[in-house]
Amino acid sequence: MRVLVTGSHGYIGSVLVPMLLDEGHLVQGLDSDWFEPCTLFSAENAARSVRVDLRDVRASDLEGFDAVVHLAALSNDPLANLDPALTYQINHLAAVRLAKLARQVGVARFLVSSSCSMYGSAGAALLTEEAELQPVTPYGHSKVLADREIALLANDDFSPIFLRNATAYGVSPRLRLDLVLNDFVAAACTSGRILIRSDGTPWRPVVHVEDICRAFIAALSAPREAVHNEAFNVGSSDENYQVGELAEIVAEVVSGSRVEYVPGGGPDKRCYRVDCSKISRLLPEYRPRWNVHRGVAQLADTYRRQGLTAAEIESGKYVRLARLRELLDGRRLGDDLRWRAAENASAAGEAAVGGAERVSLPS
């Protein structure tokens, strides 16, 4: 298939693109490139990419593709809280606009990287996709609004598919340490102290980034009747943990580390468990290969081999909010989070000598 991936240089995208290429798909990326320095190691098999803000995508950018995999977003609660109005602009309105443009030019499948965070404060009950959505943050709410409006665009020629990812973890070239397990393992490896900033009781479903990518690959090739306008919890039903449990697993796997609770840490309103039986039933090609114990071991091994240091962690290099603040403080981004003119001119120069540019895919 001819596949366009938005957010192709992000935490999930930089893992998904090589996997799509390995499956034989023709892939082009689209990314704002905010997080280019947040790189733990070089990615392999990278597809060519367009550097463009999601809000500025044109219909012509989507022509000729069989499917769009939409990953691009302000990707977590701290980022979304930076400016809730911009969060709705990007995660909600720009996502709906992208879907409308895709339908307009004949894209058949539109895969949305959604989130289990939209279940919000559900407690310990095991939730199916039919559960009430009760988000407690601008990020979660923006995802609910986008999914609801994109679902209304479904017709005989346009199939939206909503993949509600559990909390991601695992190795990616574009590392994120604002994800709970990635953060815990980094702290354990560099300082021996796994800090819990809540009371440790909130429930989280977790899923390895490679298994998220396997879900997208399965949805691309599944029969239309199995996925058309359907939502899927992405993960495994037996991979729901309380935050304190996750920390204890890290301490068990990473020798010499210990769990510490930050004084004053209270309960987190975000608390939910999910049932992932639907995706196993309707997408039998989807088979998660990771669990938390193996994923923690993989992270620890990778951090050590790549020489991750406590200083890098403290610098915020791998924290998306810190990177955006750096770009804003340096006036490289405007208040609307678009690159300023000088930055766009620099990017155009790079494209002219073989950097990010629009390319035509072979027939």
Side-chain angles (χ1 to χ4, degrees):
M1 298 176 71
R2 295 164 178 256
V3 183
L4 177 71
V5 179
T6 74
S8 55
H9 293 167
Y11 175 72
I12 297 174
S14 58
V15 177
L16 176 61
V17 166
M19 292 176 69
L20 287 170
L21 292 170
D22 287 345
E23 291 288 320
H25 297 294
L26 301 173
V27 184
Q28 182 170 302
L30 181 156
D31 202 288
S32 65
D33 276 340
W34 290 337
F35 304 116
E36 186 274 333
C38 308
T39 302
L40 185 64
F41 56 88
S42 298
E44 298 179 358
N45 296 324
R48 300 304 294 272
S49 177
V50 182
R51 174 167 151 169
V52 62
D53 190 285
L54 179 66
R55 294 163 290 182
D56 301 327
V57 173
R58 305 158 299 174
S60 59
D61 294 322
L62 307 178
E63 289 177 346
F65 291 99
D66 303 303
V68 170
V69 175
H70 177 47
L71 306 175
L74 290 172
S75 57
N76 62 11
D77 291 325
L79 274 183
N81 293 338
L82 180 67
D83 187 332
L86 280 174
T87 296
Y88 290 112
Q89 187 183 117
I90 294 169
N91 291 6
H92 168 210
L93 299 177
V96 174
R97 176 179 175 272
L98 181 74
K100 289 179 177 178
L101 291 175
R103 188 176 76 161
Q104 174 186 318
V105 300
V107 173
R109 292 197 181 189
F110 190 86
L111 279 61
V112 180
S113 184
S114 192
S115 173
C116 286
S117 68
M118 61 178 58
Y119 296 122
S121 56
L126 204 59
L127 306 175
T128 71
E129 291 80 357
E130 303 304 314
E132 179 184 1
L133 304 179
Q134 41 187 348
V136 295
T137 65
Y139 170 76
H141 194 229
S142 69
K143 287 292 189 179
V144 171
L145 293 174
D147 287 10
R148 284 176 177 168
E149 293 188 31
I150 293 171
L152 297 176
L153 301 175
N155 62 22
D156 290 344
D157 302 311
F158 182 72
S159 292
I161 305 161
F162 306 94
L163 295 159
R164 296 178 181 171
N165 304 323
T167 300
Y169 69 90
V171 171
S172 166
R174 287 281 168 88
L175 179 63
R176 282 181 58 187
L177 294 183
D178 46 17
L179 295 167
V180 60
L181 257 179
N182 291 0
D183 174 51
F184 281 173
V185 179
C189 289
T190 58
S191 72
R193 303 170 64 207
I194 305 162
L195 300 179
I196 299 181
R197 293 176 174 82
S198 70
D199 63 4
T201 62
W203 284 95
R204 291 283 188 281
V206 294
V207 62
H208 195 284
V209 62
E210 290 180 11
D211 288 334
I212 291 175
C213 297
R214 290 185 177 95
F216 278 94
I217 291 168
L220 279 174
S221 60
R224 182 179 184 274
E225 60 271 17
V227 295
H228 175 73
N229 216 18
E230 293 284 350
F232 298 94
N233 292 336
V234 176
S236 178
S237 298
D238 56 6
E239 290 286 288
N240 289 281
Y241 297 89
Q242 289 177 289
V243 171
E245 289 182 284
L246 293 173
E248 293 294 343
I249 292 171
V250 174
E252 174 189 336
V253 174
V254 182
S255 60
S257 63
R258 66 186 185 277
V259 177
E260 297 182 16
Y261 284 79
V262 175
D268 189 332
K269 291 187 295 184
R270 299 168 301 165
C271 181
Y272 46 89
R273 301 171 67 220
V274 300
D275 180 322
C276 298
S277 58
K278 179 180 177 180
I279 192 169
S280 298
R281 185 174 70 255
L282 296 185
L283 294 180
E285 295 298 315
Y286 173 65
R287 288 288 181 267
R289 299 184 185 178
W290 291 89
N291 60 38
V292 166
H293 283 82
R294 291 182 57 237
V296 168
Q298 180 211 31
L299 282 165
D301 179 65
T302 302
Y303 291 160
R304 286 165 175 158
R305 283 190 292 103
Q306 298 298 326
L308 182 70
T309 65
E312 285 182 302
I313 295 173
E314 290 296 322
S315 74
K317 176 180 179 181
Y318 301 113
V319 174
R320 296 302 188 252
L321 179 58
R323 169 61 178 165
L324 273 191
R325 282 179 169 157
E326 175 190 336
L327 292 172
L328 288 166
D329 291 346
R331 299 189 61 77
R332 298 180 65 191
L333 292 181
D335 291 340
D336 62 355
L337 298 183
R338 284 183 169 89
W339 291 106
R340 291 185 180 273
E343 296 291 337
N344 281 329
S346 174
E350 292 170 4
V353 295
E357 59 182 285
R358 180 168 175 76
V359 296
S360 297
L361 293 175
S363 301

